[in-house]
Amino acid sequence: MRAAADRVDDVDLDVVCIGRAAVDLYGEQIGGRLEDMRTFAKYVGGSPTNTAIGGARLGLRTGVISRVGDEHNGRFVRETLLRERVDVTCLRTDPTRLTALVFLGIRDPDTFPLVFYRERCADMGLVVDDIDAAYLSRAQAVLISGTHLSHPDTRAACIRAMKLARQLGKRVVLDIDYRPVLWGLTAPGLGEQRFVSSGRVTEQLQAVLPDCDLIVGTEEEIHIAGGSTDSRAALVAIRAVSAALIVMKRGPMGCVAFERAIPDDIEQGLRGPGFPVEVFNVLGAGDAFMAGLLRGWVRNEPLRQALRYANACGAIVVSRHGCAPAMPSWAELQFFFEHKQGVARLREDEEFEHVHRATTRRPTPDALAVLAFDHRSQLEDYAERFGADAGRITHFKSLVARAAEQGYAAECAQHSAGREAPFPASGVIVDARYGTPILHRLAGQGLWIARPVEAPGSRPLQFEAGANVGLDLTDWPSELIVKCLVFHHPDDEAVLARAQLQAVRDLHRACQRTGHELLLEVIPPRQLPQDELTVVRAVLQLYAEGVKPEWWKLPPLSASAWAALAQVIEGHDRWCRGVLLLGLEASESELWDAFRTAAQQPICKGFAVGRTLFAVAAQSWFEGRLDDAGVVADIATRYQRLIRMWQQARALQPARSST
């Protein structure tokens, strides 16, 4: 086996994965036939693509060579890979083929039906010319999916990649990835069938084994590669043509690795013990195993450690729904080793699942300047006060949205002209009662967008859509952040407190289930006594209930209260996105004082301010004293000024911290 290529300045990838790139449609009803599934979750799929995502989450620098269609599913695959920090330089867009689809289900712990829709699919359009030697030269290793050896064109592309890798001094990995249906050995509806003996497949696999440095497969896959249903005989046959490290996966028993000659008893190979977990879904576990193995093997860690990573990753994914989204992060894997090895029902462990969600979610800006105009009752009051039709609120909100875009663009232009302070990203909070057209228009642009769920002014907390907030969230695009304002005081009367906290717990669970981030806004009622730590105690009380929102939206605090809050958040959720400062219709001078204090706190990521920016314009507009253009100009100017104030407050931070 050759040593790994020396790292040089132009080697910036650990592994390039070649093969399938698809969309998985996973049935959401557990325990039924695929025929009876009513709803499906959409994930990225395809074994090498899953492995690329799994490797990236573990800290490897991964890339993909494949093809997707020039359509919505192809863009979904590409955008997801980019979000997961997978290099897509050589992910081609095929102009005539559609992205592959797979329908999958979970019938019981032993039955996982799946149907491949791969007739002339995009990733099977891979050809020799798609294999770029310069791209392969950037990597430490190249992974080939055995499925792509099943067709002459894709096989030729894979063989070229393997030959080039050897010439470039790279290591070659073969994931046998045997699906009989994809070799034309079963009826199309038997996608779950794992093994069919075939001399043709064995011959095709053995022809490439000599070029491999690492060969990985289940026992059935080792059987097809070795041409025997006796595991030792199959291993011996593989060893006869290849000096590669062979790793045989054995499910809950872990795995066994063979670096040299195959012993008389395969148990004498290097064994990697499995981790006892309750099986929920075996689909994707092998891809996670490969990602974990590569995390250690590519970086030349001891093989025993690499096998440990592999088995743990497989155990974690076998306990979850989906393949690519179930892959653990490096932080999550370490947390598993330190705290969760004895937990059998991993997917029901709230602490572990929180670590998974928190460390695999989409990236977010380091700072935010959010214009909040989700107000409903306040604008209804303005309309009533000035005798205006409430239907005009929708138009007013469209003006606010336009002002947000113009004000942010204007300040961006000034920032690019020479300002050096870190520049916050733009965001909005807008409701669906009057702002649905805005939500539709802004969707899919990569903006930070939050939408409220609370019934305005409710105490105890109630939801605008009714008691079953989780059902309502299933209709929301995944990019929307769930914003909830709760008027909560840590010294509330017991019955009221229980009702409030139960409602927040229900919302938190609903967000976990639907994959939405939660922005929890906490405002203690003004009529109740307060001190500088009232908000901090309210946050602590919510954490004690197991509520861990991605974001907090809180009123201005003193420096000592900010310090106390930072300790509370760090102690209960080190992966919290941060705090946004709310305005409460404060004047700009009052906000400047709040900004100067808040901007010194790393946990505070910016502001989410509303009425300070639009209240004056709203009243004048509903009264008829200000036209549309005046509204846009006034709010845009105020928003631009507030962004600049935040930048200035942040710029003061180094000077203050050094004194």
Side-chain angles (χ1 to χ4, degrees):
M1 184 170 64
R2 302 187 312 280
D6 292 335
R7 286 185 181 274
V8 293
D9 291 341
D10 60 350
V11 175
D12 60 354
L13 294 171
D14 291 302
V15 183
V16 169
C17 302
I18 302 176
R20 289 183 284 143
V23 170
D24 284 352
L25 297 173
Y26 255 90
E28 295 185 301
Q29 290 71 51
I30 309 303
R33 303 182 308 158
L34 197 55
E35 294 91 326
D36 299 323
M37 298 296 161
R38 301 186 309 278
T39 58
F40 295 83
K42 183 177 70 172
Y43 308 133
V44 165
S47 177
T49 309
N50 291 338
T51 296
I53 290 175
R57 288 186 174 184
L58 295 174
L60 292 178
R61 300 162 303 174
T62 63
V64 168
I65 297 179
S66 188
R67 287 192 178 200
V68 293
D70 186 13
E71 25 76 2
H72 312 78
N73 287 325
R75 290 189 288 274
F76 165 72
V77 172
R78 184 179 299 277
E79 291 171 9
T80 302
L81 289 172
L82 284 169
R83 195 159 52 240
E84 295 284 354
R85 298 181 175 87
V86 175
D87 188 282
V88 295
T89 301
C90 286
L91 179 66
R92 311 297 187 198
T93 298
D94 192 295
T96 63
R97 298 170 181 244
L98 296 175
T99 306
L101 297 176
V102 189
F103 286 84
L104 311 94
I106 302 173
R107 178 69 185 266
D108 57 51
D110 301 308
T111 311
F112 306 93
L114 68 159
V115 180
F116 293 95
Y117 282 71
R118 298 184 54 80
E119 184 69 27
R120 201 177 175 275
C121 65
D123 64 44
M124 292 302 288
L126 196 72
V127 294
V128 167
D129 288 345
D130 290 328
I131 307 302
D132 184 348
Y135 188 66
L136 296 184
S137 71
R138 295 170 50 189
Q140 294 291 323
V142 176
L143 180 149
I144 302 295
S145 167
T147 296
H148 260 49
L149 300 172
S150 64
H151 184 276
D153 290 343
T154 54
R155 178 181 178 82
C158 290
I159 290 175
R160 172 171 167 78
M162 298 173 81
K163 298 297 184 185
L164 281 173
R166 289 189 68 85
Q167 293 171 15
L168 294 165
K170 311 302 182 181
R171 293 196 281 184
V172 176
V173 181
L174 175 66
D175 185 344
I176 299 172
D177 186 29
Y178 182 45
R179 295 288 187 179
V181 67
L182 301 183
W183 287 81
L185 299 176
T186 71
L190 295 177
E192 67 265 35
Q193 190 162 339
R194 295 287 178 159
F195 183 79
V196 173
S197 180
S198 169
R200 175 175 63 89
V201 175
T202 299
E203 179 183 2
Q204 297 275 4
L205 290 173
Q206 290 196 354
V208 304
L209 297 182
D211 285 332
C212 297
D213 297 287
L214 171 61
I215 300 167
V216 180
T218 62
E219 285 197 72
E220 293 93 342
E221 289 170 338
I222 294 295
H223 293 169
I224 194 66
S228 173
T229 54
D230 177 273
S231 294
R232 184 180 181 279
L235 289 164
V236 169
I238 293 172
R239 178 58 75 229
V241 297
S242 176
L245 167 65
I246 306 169
V247 178
M248 185 168 69
K249 299 178 288 188
R250 301 197 292 179
M253 296 171 60
C255 64
V256 58
F258 305 93
E259 295 184 89
R260 297 178 181 83
I262 307 302
D264 292 337
D265 182 355
I266 63 174
E267 300 299 331
Q268 294 174 357
L270 181 61
R271 297 173 61 191
F275 295 88
V277 297
E278 182 178 287
V279 173
F280 179 71
N281 172 29
V282 301
L283 303 172
D287 305 333
F289 179 98
M290 178 64 87
L293 179 63
L294 292 175
R295 173 59 171 80
W297 184 76
V298 169
R299 297 190 174 187
N300 297 314
E301 295 188 49
L303 180 56
R304 191 178 300 276
Q305 181 70 294
L307 298 179
R308 185 169 181 253
Y309 295 158
N311 284 321
C313 288
I316 290 169
V317 171
V318 86
S319 69
R320 290 182 174 144
H321 193 267
C323 301
M327 300 287 170
S329 67
W330 180 249
E332 181 185 353
L333 183 61
Q334 300 312 302
F335 189 79
F336 172 79
F337 286 142
E338 294 168 9
H339 303 290
K340 300 298 178 180
Q341 289 191 55
V343 177
R345 299 173 68 89
L346 277 176
R347 70 189 301 263
E348 296 179 0
D349 188 289
E350 291 187 6
E351 184 180 31
F352 188 60
E353 286 301 288
H354 173 69
V355 175
H356 175 66
R357 284 189 301 273
T359 59
T360 60
R361 59 197 173 199
R362 67 184 64 199
T364 196
D366 292 330
L368 280 165
V370 177
L371 204 167
F373 54 108
D374 57 317
H375 306 69
R376 289 144 285 170
S377 57
Q378 294 92 337
L379 291 174
E380 289 167 349
D381 289 344
Y382 292 162
E384 183 178 2
R385 184 190 314 170
F386 297 112
D389 185 346
R392 298 191 68 205
I393 296 175
T394 294
H395 182 61
F396 178 78
K397 290 195 178 233
S398 72
L399 301 178
V400 179
R402 195 190 314 167
E405 292 169 326
Q406 291 187 12
Y408 185 76
E411 189 58 24
C412 271
Q414 292 201 20
H415 173 77
S416 62
R419 295 178 183 270
E420 296 181 358
F423 198 71
S426 177
V428 297
I429 306 177
V430 59
D431 62 291
R433 184 188 298 181
Y434 299 109
T436 294
I438 301 167
L439 291 170
H440 290 172
R441 181 170 67 82
L442 298 180
Q445 298 184 26
L447 298 175
W448 191 97
I449 309 173
R451 172 180 158 184
V453 290
E454 78 279 355
S458 59
R459 178 168 150 87
L461 173 65
Q462 295 180 348
F463 302 113
E464 189 165 43
N468 197 340
V469 67
L471 187 59
D472 180 52
L473 294 184
T474 61
D475 294 333
W476 288 31
S478 59
E479 66 183 319
L480 290 186
I481 294 163
V482 178
K483 173 260 177 182
C484 181
L485 165 59
V486 55
F487 294 103
H488 178 64
H489 195 289
D491 300 326
D492 275 337
E493 180 269 333
V495 174
L496 172 62
R498 281 197 300 272
Q500 294 258 81
L501 295 172
Q502 182 62 53
V504 176
R505 282 198 302 269
D506 290 344
L507 175 62
H508 183 236
R509 282 196 295 269
C511 290
Q512 291 174 323
R513 183 68 181 269
T514 60
H516 291 91
E517 293 190 11
L518 173 61
L519 167 68
L520 196 55
E521 180 176 2
V522 179
I523 301 179
R526 293 179 178 177
Q527 65 270 25
L528 297 180
Q530 298 182 35
D531 58 34
E532 68 171 2
L533 292 179
T534 298
V535 170
V536 179
R537 290 194 297 120
V539 169
L540 182 61
Q541 194 173 78
L542 287 158
Y543 273 132
E545 294 294 321
V547 175
K548 295 180 179 179
E550 281 73 19
W551 301 91
W552 294 96
K553 184 183 176 195
L554 302 174
L557 302 172
S558 67
S560 58
W562 273 113
L565 176 69
Q567 285 189 331
V568 167
I569 293 176
E570 175 65 24
H572 289 82
D573 183 11
R574 57 178 290 204
W575 290 288
C576 176
R577 295 281 208 189
V579 180
L580 297 177
L581 190 69
L582 59 85
L584 290 175
E585 208 171 356
S587 67
E588 287 188 10
S589 62
E590 291 171 325
L591 280 179
W592 170 244
D593 291 337
F595 280 9
R596 284 190 300 172
T597 303
Q600 297 181 50
Q601 309 299 323
I603 193 63
C604 186
K605 304 301 182 183
F607 62 85
V609 173
R611 282 175 291 172
T612 300
L613 299 176
F614 71 72
V616 172
Q619 294 179 66
S620 297
W621 186 80
F622 279 107
E623 192 178 0
R625 293 187 294 107
L626 190 66
D627 62 11
D628 289 1
V631 168
V632 173
D634 182 78
I635 297 174
T637 299
R638 292 173 185 270
Y639 183 42
Q640 183 180 0
R641 200 158 55 228
L642 212 59
I643 295 172
R644 192 174 308 157
M645 283 171 51
W646 177 257
Q647 289 178 272
Q648 292 168 349
R650 289 187 71 180
L652 294 174
Q653 182 178 352
R656 284 174 173 263
S657 62
S658 62
T659 58

